[in-house]
Amino acid sequence: MPSAQRICMSSSLRSRGRGRRFSVFDGNRRHAAFVVRYGTVVYAYLNRCGHQDLELDWNPGIFFDTGGRFLLCATHGASYEPSSGRCVGGPCNGRGLVAVGVKEQGDEVLLHDDRYTLDNSP
Ligand code: FES
């Protein structure tokens, strides 16, 4: 796996802690995305609420609610199951997050999704 697919260091993600924002390119357009750790597993999603086309984080990298149980959209409070992206409350109304494939290898979190490449453009 080329190092260009590295999103962040694995050790930088703590369970229910601050997430890491990144961007992916699908061949046509760039998408904001993020990765968080929940339990021992890392999960990544496009940073796009199921309610409206807005990013979720309260402040950059803050995706979990105060209890660390759900991913929360800052705009109107839609909440999502961290391990699946499933909508569990608020105005997402059954529309979940779009998952992005990632994997951990050594101390790195790598993009692992044939649909996307990492986009590091400013
Ligand atoms: S845009 Fe996320 S809850 Fe409305």
Side-chain angles (χ1 to χ4, degrees), residues 49 51-52 54 73 75-78 91:
C49 186
H51 177 224
Q52 294 177 6
L54 295 173
C73 179
T75 306
H76 311 108

Side-chain angles (χ1 to χ4, degrees), residues 89-109:
C92 42
N93 201 23
R95 291 179 299 272
L97 301 175
V98 176
V100 175
V102 291
K103 69 175 183 180
E104 290 188 278
Q105 187 171 290
D107 190 31
E108 296 181 323
V109 177

Side-chain angles (χ1 to χ4, degrees), residues 22-39:
F22 63 102
S23 296
V24 293
F25 184 68
D26 68 4
N28 290 305
R29 61 177 286 227
R30 183 183 193 203
H31 304 270
F34 67 96
V35 61
V36 293
R37 184 181 300 281
Y38 185 65

Side-chain angles (χ1 to χ4, degrees), residues 18-22 32-34 36 46-49 54-64 71-75:
R18 181 180 287 267
R20 178 66 175 254
R21 295 167 55 94
F22 63 102
F34 67 96
V36 293
L46 297 185
N47 194 359
R48 185 171 65 217
C49 186
L54 295 173
E55 297 184 0
L56 276 70
D57 29 350
W58 292 88
N59 286 306
I62 307 296
F63 295 97
F64 279 101
L71 301 172
L72 193 65
C73 179
T75 306

